[in-house]
Amino acid sequence: MRVEGLTSMRSMQLNSSVGRLSTSLLFAFGLLFIGAAVHDEQLEVFGSPPYPLYLFRQVFYESVAHPFYLFVAVTPIAAAAWLQVGWIRLVAGGLPLLSTVLPYGAFEYYRLSNGELVGYHASLHQLASPQHEMGALLPGLLLITAGGIVSLAWRAGPGAFLSATGLVITFVGWSITERAGSFVIDDRALMSFPTSPLLFGYYIAWVGAITGLGASAWVSRKRRDQSS
């Protein structure tokens, strides 16, 4: 009885607003630090600081705009967790949103004046920003973000469908951009692509989208079985 009582208490704590918020944020920032560790090419770009400092900079301040991108991605997840949205919706909406600030694509970005390397891998937000002139990635970013918010605020199925559509469009946009080989931006910087595959963040987003689509299909099937 005592073990059952402890298990029930822990379950209640985990499913409380504080429990869901803490778990979601720990998981989210855990993934962000894992992404920074797996793709650590930016270490050279940042001037090879001590590794812990590199990790914190990569997660919180990859660029001047990155704190805003991080706020856009993490705030809806935190709000949904606090409002006790179901775990399936948190996964289906949270992972696509979080993916937009994880490493998405690798590129080399050199200053033409002195040949200095100033960029290597970036999140989808960074890649789709005006600075990098990859406009083909913007529709995918908008759909993935919209899909994540729809999953968190309403239902996992429609949100996951939007996210999956955005991921397909992102793949097409990345392929178009990457096949350009290299190009000069405003006569100031040379961009090239040393590796063509999309990175960590892209596949994390698919985990969320597939979870939402699978859960929606299972619920629909269960309802059909009950009505027959």
Side-chain angles (χ1 to χ4, degrees), residues 25-224:
L25 291 181
L26 282 172
F27 184 79
F29 282 98
L31 272 181
L32 287 167
F33 278 102
I34 289 171
V38 169
H39 298 288
D40 61 358
E41 300 90 348
Q42 295 275 62
L43 194 63
E44 179 184 353
V45 177
F46 295 156
S48 300
Y51 202 72
L53 182 60
Y54 152 74
L55 290 175
F56 273 91
R57 179 170 176 183
Q58 180 63 39
V59 170
F60 294 104
Y61 201 76
E62 181 184 353
S63 71
V64 173
H66 188 69
F68 171 74
Y69 299 148
L70 193 62
F71 177 83
V72 169
V74 173
T75 300
I77 300 171
W82 181 258
L83 294 172
Q84 298 185 323
V85 164
W87 290 110
I88 293 294
R89 283 170 58 191
L90 278 172
V91 171
L95 288 184
L97 275 173
L98 187 66
S99 79
T100 62
V101 287
L102 287 167
Y104 244 81
F107 64 94
E108 291 177 341
Y109 190 83
Y110 291 93
R111 284 198 184 97
L112 289 177
S113 59
N114 57 10
E116 181 185 359
L117 178 66
V118 292
Y120 195 90
H121 76 257
S123 67
L124 185 56
H125 272 288
Q126 300 283 5
L127 292 169
S129 68
Q131 175 190 2
H132 293 142
E133 297 190 6
M134 297 188 193
L137 298 178
L138 184 58
L141 169 63
L142 295 175
L143 280 171
I144 292 167
T145 302
I149 292 173
V150 167
S151 292
L152 293 174
W154 184 41
R155 289 169 55 193
F161 177 78
L162 283 174
S163 294
T165 303
L167 288 165
V168 172
I169 291 174
T170 298
F171 177 80
V172 174
W174 175 257
S175 299
I176 291 170
T177 305
E178 180 267 331
R179 283 174 186 168
S182 62
F183 52 91
V184 176
I185 299 176
D186 291 338
D187 296 325
R188 292 179 290 104
L190 174 67
M191 179 174 286
S192 60
F193 300 87
T195 58
S196 58
L198 286 157
L199 302 180
F200 187 77
Y202 181 75
Y203 301 102
I204 289 295
W206 270 115
V207 172
I210 291 171
T211 299
L213 291 171
S216 180
W218 183 81
V219 169
S220 297
R221 181 178 178 181
K222 189 175 180 181
R223 286 175 178 170
R224 284 198 303 268

